[in-house]
Amino acid sequence: MKETIRIGCGAGFSGDRLEPAVILAQQGQLDYLVLECLAERTIALAQKRKRQDPALGYDPLLERRIESLLPHLLDKRVRLITNMGAANPLAAAEKICAIARQMKLSVTVAAVTGDDVFDQLSGDEPALETGKPLKESGSLVSANAYLGTDAILPALATDAHIILTGRVADPSLFVSPLVHAFDWSLNDANQIGQGTVIGHLLECAGQLTGGYFADPGRKDIPDMAHLGHPFADVSKDGIAVFSKVAGTGGLLNVATAKEQLLYEVMDPSHYLTPDVVADFTQVRLEEVGLNQVKATGGKGQTRPDTLKVSVGYEAGFVGEGEISYAGSNALGRAQLAGAIIEKRLRDRFTDLRIDYIGSTSVHRTAFGHYPEPYEIRLRVAGRAATAKEAALVGEEVEALYTNGPAGGGGARKYVHEVVGIVSTLIDRAKITSNVTVLNA
Amino acid sequence: MKTKLYDLAHSRAGDKGNTLTLSLIPYRPEDYPILCAKVTAEAVKQHLQAIVAGDITRYELPNLPALQFVCQQALTGGVTTSLMMDTHGKSLSYALLEMEIDT
């Protein structure tokens, strides 16, 4: 058994850059590479793609990521763990085998399934957000339970080069190789709590190495155009030192690590995953070298008996329209345009929003600061049951060209379908996960 | 003297459904006590009244040191159904940093 293993994170969301993962696989001397590509919203969208074509429903960038990574993974003996299976891990595994055959490479892929619990829900279960039955939100399109480390371990026990999952808790993608490599007990809540701290720090990739952090003049980050993604060297007792590949851009220090540690955390003493109720309050972060941060002190309590289920429902369509005003009294003219739209559409949309981009569109207020901007973009958004009704928003905004205030230009209109997300809980005893191994 | 939080601390926003999380991390650890004293859940609720409709809970992490604010009903429905420009509320860390405190 190795004393230390190195786990890298090469993607923190579905649309993340491709090259940091390649650099990690090629130069990172990794044991494991993790790509976290599945958000709450992306799995519901993936389920819709799968319904349209049963061979789809995996991550839209899977082919490009695998094509660029596969030779390096095999050459450097790095095992890949990723949730790019999304709504269809089996189809994703078949796709990877097809890519390998085309590249004349030999690969073993393990697909973890069992997170899709759509057939196990009646729709009468209460939504955590509202307390009302799930089906009252709208027509349900998907339900995926967050699987944990126990579901991924059997896949790691095979000789698979690539482990593909659907919905699993993000930190479990990192806890599972630690448990596998060091034979940690899943019942050791403190050990798994520390593993979860490691996973949570790594899971957003570039957000640990200075991405989403920079504020010029105050929080400067070098060479962001070549931002490198992080890896952690983890010892058998769970002590982790985070770093990045030498020569890549970015910065990894206690400040970047603190922001990431608290990112999306509700109660820091009760961070819930399928593996553990982790406690982040005793975590110690220490700079031990340039771009090197040591993390210790993660704790935990016994894992919950229920798993969270992310449920997607049809939430209608959003129509948007935009038009710009610039020069003297730009805001005044944009506000007149907004008032016209408000009068014409208010009765037809229960959910309508009018924003003045350049003034109050992002924070809904300017906290008392109202400098006269040179240009303002009016943005109107409305939600409707059908695409046709939603399109009305953009049509009315476009009509401002000849029916609105002076000097409006650059109108654009969009309509998109919306999948809403609610959550519920399911007894973990009702979930059976499976591993399917494919070879090419 | 009034000081903007922007001058004392940095912050990152996160989202879980309709709930917004905001960290507040002092640049200098010695400023942590004043942040604890002045940036109460009530004061933040007052400051973010245009944004946060629900309750705000504050968690203290003296070890780091840092504060964490959990703001309910802050994302007009949350990432997929919200009509906001910033559906995740990712930009709202800088709304918190606009707050001024007496120092």
Side-chain angles (χ1 to χ4, degrees), chain A residues 84-248:
Chain A
M84 277 197 292
N88 206 346
L90 286 171
E94 279 167 18
K95 187 72 198 180
I96 291 175
C97 288
I99 292 169
R101 280 190 284 268
Q102 216 164 38
M103 296 175 86
K104 303 204 184 322
L105 296 168
S106 166
V107 70
T108 303
V109 186
V112 179
T113 51
D115 60 304
D116 190 333
V117 295
F118 190 67
D119 293 338
Q120 294 183 51
L121 295 184
S122 67
D124 295 321
E125 297 83 359
L128 292 176
E129 290 80 2
T130 59
K132 292 179 188 160
L134 292 171
K135 61 188 180 196
E136 280 187 24
S137 300
S139 177
L140 304 187
V141 297
S142 67
N144 293 82
Y146 282 79
L147 303 183
T149 291
D150 51 351
I152 304 172
L153 284 175
L156 283 163
T158 71
D159 55 0
H161 302 98
I162 296 176
I163 288 106
L164 273 170
T165 75
R167 178 79 280 163
V168 298
D170 297 350
S172 305
L173 294 167
F174 302 87
V175 173
S176 52
L178 292 170
V179 171
H180 174 73
F182 297 135
D183 206 19
W184 285 354
S185 163
L186 285 176
N187 297 320
D188 185 340
N190 283 333
Q191 190 81 85
I192 303 300
Q194 169 67 5
T196 300
V197 167
I198 295 165
H200 181 66
L201 282 167
L202 287 172
E203 71 182 54
C204 293
Q207 284 194 184
L208 184 65
T209 46
Y212 201 44
F213 180 89
D215 186 346
R218 182 153 307 226
K219 296 194 292 174
D220 288 310
I221 300 291
D223 196 16
M224 290 194 69
H226 303 102
L227 191 82
H229 286 184
F231 59 75
D233 288 314
V234 187
S235 67
K236 213 163 44 177
D237 54 1
I239 294 170
V241 176
F242 296 84
S243 192
K244 63 186 186 69
V245 176
T248 59

Side-chain angles (χ1 to χ4, degrees), chain A residues 207 212 215 218 258-260 262-265 282-283 351 353 362-364 367 369 379 418-420, chain B residues 6-7 10 12-13 15-16 21 27 47 51 63-64 68 74 80 83-85 90-91 94-95 98:
Chain A
Q207 284 194 184
Y212 201 44
D215 186 346
R218 182 153 307 226
K258 280 183 191 175
E259 280 199 18
Q260 182 55 29
L262 294 176
Y263 178 68
E264 291 185 335
V265 171
Q282 304 304 311
V283 170
D351 207 2
R353 175 146 197 105
V362 180
H363 285 177
R364 307 167 223 179
F367 297 101
H369 303 282
R379 177 223 178 218
V418 182
V419 175
Chain B
Y6 179 75
D7 293 321
H10 56 110
R12 176 171 294 177
D15 68 298
K16 286 276 174 201
T21 66
Y27 286 108
H47 173 69
I51 296 167
N63 240 31
L64 290 179
Q68 177 85 336
T80 59
L83 292 182
M84 295 294 303
M85 286 274 294
K90 282 182 175 288
S91 71
Y94 279 80
E98 278 299 301

